[in-house]
Amino acid sequence: MLPLIEQEVVTQHNWMSEEEFIDMLAITQSAPGPVAVNAAIFIGYKMMGLTGAIVALLGAIIPSFTIILLLATFLAAQSEHYYLQRFFAGVRPAIIALILGVGLKTGRKVIRSSFSLVLGISALILLLVLDLHPILLILLGALLGVLYSYWHKKRAKEVS
Amino acid sequence: MLWLLFKTFFLIGLFGFGGGYAMLPLIQKEIVFKHAWLTAQQFADIIAVAEITPGPIAINTATYVGYQIAGLTGSVFATLGVVAPSFILIATLANIVLKNKNNPYFQGVFRGLRPIVVALIIGAAINLGLNTISTASSLILTLIALALFSLTKIHPIILLLGFGFLNVFSGIL
């Protein structure tokens, strides 16, 4: 979705410079929530304050909202339909493979040190075996990341 | 019930770092395991619907679950709940983030979060698999789909539709 946003916002409408767009990426990717939604809020806010943010946010969510609402009504009415059930039974293995595939791809990009490897594997065990809440894992990861940076900085100072 | 929907999706929005698939285990934990608003199978189906249609998975799930639980009003409350944290955080914190984006501790937070996000995505797939893959043929199909997705450039939507229609016509599963 990001190339599409860049095309509309930077190239076509000139609402922000390339540099501002990169700043925006830093914010939308570090804030929780879907990147496209975050980008809409940020751009709307930057251009027209709170009103702009609300308008852009509504613009970003109304298409998905409408499509899903229509589909949900349709699916609720047809949930006993034989071929529809067969369709979803066929899709399920593919969706699991897709999520696993995205996880492995992201892992290959992100896991680049022993710190990240140990953290990732421990988190997976805590999630699956000890059934720890994902929110706790997120808080734990953020805390360990800060401690790691602190330790890293201290060690760099001692060396020099 | 409307308040509970809003509150639950607010929580999902607030801790949904990484967006997209990274939010799945959080949604799964709250919606499937804690409140039992959807079965594991329904959850897998809504992810498929979310993937095939445009738009963020978190929004799609919120709209769908809200509708299932409390109709149109429910879908509005759930959807507003999931975007409210983004809205509040970005409107108030954007400038602080820009000023501190090179701060080592700020970067440290994300250095710690990234491996967690990977674990959360893989964990979501494993949890879903444990709940929905019940036969040898579904396991084999999952592995074939994984190979196709990892080794070829096939578009995810084509993959999902292909597997769906394959089963409509063949009835393997």
Side-chain angles (χ1 to χ4, degrees):
Chain A
M1 220 154 169
L2 285 172
L4 189 66
I5 300 176
E6 188 184 11
Q7 164 71 26
E8 286 289 320
V9 173
V10 181
T11 317
Q12 200 172 338
H13 294 299
N14 275 316
W15 283 343
M16 52 172 68
S17 65
E18 197 63 46
E19 215 168 286
E20 287 172 309
F21 185 78
I22 292 170
D23 274 353
M24 183 199 77
L25 287 186
I27 292 170
T28 53
Q29 288 173 346
S30 50
V35 172
V37 171
N38 292 348
I41 299 169
F42 182 80
I43 296 164
Y45 189 77
K46 190 177 161 293
M47 301 199 49
M48 286 179 63
L50 222 48
T51 326
I54 292 172
V55 173
L57 171 66
L58 290 178
I61 60 179
I62 284 174
S64 324
F65 183 80
T66 317
I67 293 170
I68 294 295
L69 213 55
L70 291 174
L71 267 174
T73 359
F74 169 77
L75 290 176
Q78 302 288 326
S79 63
E80 301 298 312
H81 195 288
Y82 179 64
Y83 287 113
L84 199 66
Q85 286 184 346
R86 288 233 304 224
F87 179 81
F88 277 110
V91 168
R92 262 170 234 142
I95 197 71
I96 289 160
L98 198 65
I99 301 169
L100 192 59
V102 169
L104 295 174
K105 266 185 196 170
T106 319
R108 229 173 295 156
K109 262 187 273 171
V110 164
I111 311 282
R112 296 200 158 255
S113 62
S114 42
F115 171 74
S116 54
L117 183 67
V118 171
L119 194 54
I121 290 175
S122 322
L124 194 59
I125 293 170
L126 288 172
L127 181 74
L128 293 176
V129 182
L130 297 181
D131 199 23
L132 216 65
H133 200 293
I135 293 178
L136 281 178
L137 289 174
I138 286 167
L139 294 174
L140 199 67
L143 181 69
L144 288 174
V146 171
L147 288 176
Y148 182 77
S149 299
Y150 175 74
W151 174 78
H152 217 67
K153 208 172 149 190
K154 210 173 134 189
R155 217 178 57 156
K157 232 183 229 165
E158 277 166 13
V159 170
S160 66
Chain B
M1 185 49 95
L2 288 175
W3 170 238
L4 187 62
L5 267 173
F6 183 86
K7 206 175 72 176
T8 305
F9 277 98
F10 188 91
L11 206 64
I12 291 168
L14 184 61
F15 287 95
F17 288 97
Y21 284 0
M23 296 174 84
L24 290 179
L26 190 53
I27 301 175
Q28 189 179 36
K29 182 83 185 175
E30 290 289 318
I31 305 302
V32 180
F33 298 144
K34 193 168 148 196
H35 295 296
W37 284 335
L38 293 179
T39 65
Q41 290 201 342
Q42 284 175 314
F43 183 59
D45 295 350
I46 174 66
I47 302 168
V49 169
E51 186 61 47
I52 294 169
T53 56
I57 290 179
I59 307 282
N60 292 350
T61 318
T63 308
Y64 188 84
V65 171
Y67 181 80
Q68 293 271 331
I69 304 299
L72 182 64
T73 346
S75 60
V76 172
F77 271 80
T79 307
L80 289 180
V82 83
V83 295
S86 301
F87 188 84
I88 298 168
L89 288 175
I90 291 182
T92 53
L93 297 179
N95 287 326
I96 300 175
V97 172
L98 282 184
K99 257 179 236 150
N100 292 294
K101 68 175 176 173
N102 293 321
N103 177 304
Y105 297 122
F106 184 74
Q107 291 180 340
V109 169
F110 295 98
R111 183 180 289 165
L113 278 181
R114 275 181 220 118
I116 302 285
V117 163
V118 171
L120 290 178
I121 298 175
I122 294 176
I126 293 176
N127 260 332
L128 263 181
L130 290 175
N131 284 301
T132 58
I133 300 175
S134 49
T135 59
S137 47
S138 60
L139 180 63
I140 292 168
L141 281 174
T142 308
L143 294 176
I144 293 173
L146 183 62
L148 281 172
F149 178 67
S150 309
L151 305 175
T152 70
K153 285 190 170 160
I154 188 169
H155 195 285
I157 295 181
I158 305 291
L159 187 74
L160 294 178
L161 292 176
F163 270 68
F165 283 115
L166 178 80
N167 195 51
V168 169
F169 294 120
S170 70
I172 300 173
L173 297 172

